[in-house]
Amino acid sequence: MSDKLNLGCGHDIREGWVNLDSAALPGVDVVHDLSQLPLPFEDGRFSEVLCQDVLEHVDYVAVLRELHRVTEPGGRVTIRSPHFTAAAVYVDPTHRTGFSIDTFSFFARESDYGERSYYFDFAFERVESARITFHRYRWQPWNYVLEPLVNRGRGVQRYYEETFLSRLFPAANVEVVLVR
């Protein structure tokens, strides 16, 4: 049976998962700095990898290459990272980048962008799902309506990102699932 990896877990310790972080926090199973690759795992070890609020802090192409290596064929890598319009991209000085709904499509064979083997020496099979999420604050009630509208389809997501709408109503995160 394959393991599950919670990459950059911080305080989000998950039972039954290998919890990895650069800080030796309570519950962290593996202390490892993501700027020091390779990851300390064998090829194809994980059936599921969770990258929640971590890829914006690192050289994400190198980390994705390693996740591709340690994820078994058919395994899933779930990513949540700040959308490029999110204030968090600029507020946190440790953030290196924000992401578009299509950023991770460049790493998938089956995507609107086609295989980019001339960019990268690895490729996930496909993007299983991709969503744009919004903060749910009392003073921003429109986000409760906006989020399902924006996520009606890829065309609507792209329209949102490419027009004034994304600047008028900034998003919080992109949530993407890649299949190895």
Side-chain angles (χ1 to χ4, degrees):
M1 186 168 127
S2 300
D3 289 329
K4 297 177 180 181
L5 174 62
N6 185 9
L7 189 77
C9 62
H11 294 288
D12 180 29
I13 304 302
R14 294 176 180 237
E15 180 116 6
W17 292 63
V18 175
N19 296 286
L20 180 147
D21 201 88
S22 62
L25 300 167
V28 170
D29 303 304
V30 177
V31 177
H32 185 83
D33 182 349
L34 292 179
S35 68
Q36 302 299 312
L37 298 175
L39 292 172
F41 306 113
E42 63 274 6
D43 295 358
R45 174 170 174 185
F46 299 102
S47 61
E48 191 172 340
V49 177
L50 177 62
C51 302
Q52 194 162 264
D53 301 319
V54 65
L55 292 183
E56 64 274 15
H57 297 278
V58 298
D59 174 1
Y60 72 92
V61 174
V63 172
L64 283 174
R65 180 180 291 109
E66 274 300 287
L67 294 180
H68 183 269
R69 182 184 67 78
V70 301
T71 303
E72 68 183 20
R76 286 168 170 66
V77 176
T78 301
I79 299 164
R80 183 182 81 183
S81 286
H83 189 265
F84 68 86
T85 62
V89 171
Y90 308 101
V91 171
D92 186 335
T94 66
H95 286 183
R96 297 171 65 173
T97 192
F99 299 90
S100 163
I101 195 66
D102 285 328
T103 300
F104 298 102
S105 295
F106 277 76
F107 300 95
R109 284 186 187 92
E110 297 174 16
S111 78
D112 292 345
Y113 297 95
E115 184 176 356
R116 297 292 176 136
S117 59
Y118 53 92
Y119 278 2
F120 312 112
D121 59 354
F122 69 99
F124 289 87
E125 196 58 37
R126 70 182 185 281
V127 175
E128 183 174 84
S129 63
R131 295 176 30 86
I132 298 172
T133 63
F134 294 80
H135 288 296
R136 301 290 180 96
Y137 300 133
R138 284 186 315 218
W139 60 89
Q140 294 175 326
W142 52 84
N143 284 348
Y144 290 88
V145 174
L146 191 59
E147 186 172 314
L149 290 175
V150 165
N151 288 297
R152 288 183 59 115
R154 297 295 274 189
V156 180
Q157 290 170 329
R158 288 178 181 144
Y159 180 80
Y160 163 79
E161 287 189 341
E162 294 171 0
T163 66
F164 71 96
L165 290 172
S166 63
R167 283 37 168 216
L168 187 59
F169 302 104
N173 295 297
V174 294
E175 295 180 356
V176 176
V177 177
L178 295 170
V179 176
R180 162 83 161 73

